[in-house]
Amino acid sequence: MPVPVPRQRAIPAVESGQASQPAPAVGGPTGAKADTEAPRKEDTVATHTVGNHTTPTSTTLTLLLIEDDPGGSTIVPELLDSSGKPIRVRTARNLTEAERLLTDDVHCILLDLALPTPGRAGDGDEDELAPLKHVLELAPRHAVLALTASGDAERGAEAVRVGAQDYLFRDELDGRLLSRAIRYAVERKRSDTAERRLAEGKLRAQENARLERGLLPTPLLDGSSLRFAARYRPGRSRALLGGDFYDTVRTPDGTVHAMIGDVCGHGPDEAALGVELRIAWRALTLAGLCGDQLLSTLQQVLEHERADEEIFATLCTVDIAPDGRRAGLYLAGHPSPLIARPGRRPQLLPYDNNGPALGLLPGARWPRMEVELGAEWSLMLYTDGLIEGRVGEDGERLGQDGMVEMIRRQLSQGLRGEQLLRAAVSEVRELNGGELTDDVAVLLLDRGLRPDGPDGPGAW
């Protein structure tokens, strides 16, 4: 059964900051006929822009009076705004008529609290503020003034507590008092709305930050002698998570599996897909899948979860033997890891058998490459955001060769672990002359290395 679509109500111009065409006035303090004239020159709205927001600087205020006998009432005198222009008044005899007249150019509602609520008999047990609550539900974005009998301050105060911006005594109204109350109510509603939106925005940002932080992996390396470090820097402004993803787990046989990947694109959809692929990789690895079988399954996950058939992901996965001296390497369109060992210059692992990225070729295969690591080593897995930053005045990219040289120099300075990764990402950003546009993820595994290496910093 189709779900009914609620009728959309335009946001009042006082909140949205958009200039709207004035709607015809229906009645007035004397019950006159609807005004069908074209908008007057003095009704136009001048605007100024601050950032991405447009705010009205001058507009004719419109008041909607809801009172059961407005045709014979004299409660609304002549009203003028702060610039001396008349405040337009619309009138409604009941809440049903008020709903029809409540368009986006109404700025304030003046409600008689003695107004009967539709569909209710006056049995003495009904809520005295039911008309006000009905109006607040009907017009949550509008400023509301409550009108009550003279001396009934308690009821007026209760109206403010429920949600009205202010209350006024029926018998004490004059033009200046009511005009000032309307302007005050409109500004207070605008201020309250802005404050609420700011608080909601901060809360939403905090929730998103906690969510994204919780989606970053915690390595499962219990029982392993390898040391782990990682660095992550999303390319999206004010984001904590991008399309890059990584993970590390140790299986019961003592093998350490490490992975790093990159979903093409930088938006929240790519970030979500990266999280899905990482979680799938961890589950499949702990279930015993590895190598080509694991990558084929991950490709199926990507094909089912991606929003567009053109989206793909690169991946590098390494399985390190329990003795830590050798490893198997699988590359799916991803840059090859860097290995650093004492007494030898850092270098890239072989990448001749680099297979296609996930999601490009149905039925693709990914060959395994055997790698000898040695007794002591540092293995760095990274995404292309680390090597695609610009360097120099020519705008050339850092590239893998530039990265290898940068890491060699930083190792020779005695940097290790998290300090090394922090320095690498910071230097790449500085060389680029500012923030990197791509996500950056770097993962580092160390085996048996002392802080300065076995032969001192110069051995690198």
Side-chain angles (χ1 to χ4, degrees), residues 226-290:
L226 301 183
R227 290 188 292 272
F228 170 90
R231 191 75 174 168
Y232 197 102
R233 192 182 189 94
R236 286 187 298 138
S237 175
R238 296 185 297 276
L240 294 178
L241 201 63
D244 291 2
F245 55 99
Y246 65 89
D247 206 350
T248 305
V249 300
R250 180 177 183 268
T251 48
D253 64 355
T255 303
V256 171
H257 302 262
M259 172 273 291
I260 197 164
D262 182 2
V263 178
C264 68
H266 313 289
D269 290 338
E270 289 75 16
L273 181 56
V275 172
E276 291 179 280
L277 292 175
R278 179 188 68 77
I279 294 173
W281 178 87
R282 174 176 284 201
L284 294 170
T285 300
L286 293 176
L289 273 69
C290 61

Side-chain angles (χ1 to χ4, degrees), residues 337-403:
L338 177 149
I339 186 169
R341 289 168 284 205
R344 301 170 60 177
R345 293 180 64 87
Q347 65 183 89
L348 300 175
L349 292 181
Y351 52 89
D352 297 337
N353 290 326
N354 197 331
L358 303 181
L360 290 183
L361 299 176
R365 313 292 293 183
W366 295 271
R368 174 187 172 91
M369 291 174 278
E370 291 285 346
V371 178
E372 291 294 329
L373 300 178
E376 299 182 59
W377 46 264
S378 285
L379 187 64
M380 190 178 83
L381 285 64
Y382 54 93
T383 58
D384 58 7
L386 188 69
I387 60 177
E388 291 188 347
R390 304 291 180 175
V391 295
E393 297 180 357
D394 298 336
E396 298 180 359
R397 297 192 183 276
L398 175 65
Q400 288 179 293
D401 292 340
M403 178 199 65

Side-chain angles (χ1 to χ4, degrees), residues 56-105:
T57 57
S58 177
T59 184
T60 298
L61 293 176
T62 300
L63 173 72
L64 176 60
L65 168 64
I66 309 176
E67 204 257 352
D68 59 353
D69 188 21
S73 174
T74 58
I75 63 170
V76 178
E78 183 180 359
L79 303 176
L80 300 176
D81 65 14
S82 58
S83 62
K85 295 187 298 184
I87 296 177
R88 295 183 300 180
V89 179
R90 292 183 182 176
T91 60
R93 293 173 175 80
N94 52 57
L95 297 178
T96 302
E97 187 177 344
E99 182 175 2
R100 181 174 59 84
L101 298 177
L102 190 60
T103 54
D104 62 352
D105 59 342

